[in-house]
Amino acid sequence: MTFQELQPKISAIISENESNRDEKLLAVCQLLNENVEYYNWVGFYFANHDAKTLHLGPYVGAETDHTVIPFGKGICGQVAESNANFVVPDVKAQDNYIACSLTVKSEIVVPLFVNGVNIGQIDIDSHVIDPFTEADERFLEFVNQEVAKLF
């Protein structure tokens, strides 16, 4: 399924009235994981600005020990500080990478803004080296714009 075909499905999940926020976030993760071949782990992290930590929210994929990540640590922690997308074509080439699994080859993290504040991010791991393009970035920015409506 193309990103263009997925966009209305994301919007439909967000606007649906029967589910709570975490159920909607999980549904978004499932949709992406099932319909983008190289999205092998899809999840959300949310910021605690007082503690300067990220906390794992709904996700789909292999279990992770990384349920709390300090700002600045790993790719997700860097995005919490930079407020910018971070695409990692090859995780082995990153000095500040927190290894989740040997099967993870690349990662993309896109911050989630609500009223101009970075409240979290969507994090995607792939078992393929260098699959992410600018189209992935734009699509995930769209996903986060929709998700922001839940806050």
Side-chain angles (χ1 to χ4, degrees), residues 120-142:
Q121 54 204 226
I122 190 167
D123 177 21
I124 298 177
D125 294 342
S126 179
H127 298 165
V128 179
I129 288 184
D130 199 14
F132 303 113
T133 67
E134 189 174 325
D136 291 275
E137 288 189 73
R138 299 297 82 82
F139 173 65
L140 294 172
E141 288 168 354
F142 167 83

Side-chain angles (χ1 to χ4, degrees), residues 1-7 9 31 34-37:
M1 198 173 290
T2 67
F3 292 145
Q4 191 171 2
E5 291 169 324
L6 286 170
Q7 285 182 341
K9 294 181 182 307
L31 180 73
E34 291 168 5
N35 289 285
V36 183
E37 184 179 343

Side-chain angles (χ1 to χ4, degrees), residues 87-99:
V87 178
V88 182
D90 181 356
V91 296
K92 287 184 181 167
Q94 272 298 321
D95 291 338
N96 192 7
Y97 173 70
I98 304 171

Side-chain angles (χ1 to χ4, degrees), residues 48-66:
N48 177 328
H49 289 283
D50 294 334
K52 297 208 174 299
T53 52
L54 292 165
H55 297 264
L56 182 61
Y59 73 94
V60 171
E63 280 193 46
T64 180
D65 293 333
H66 304 120

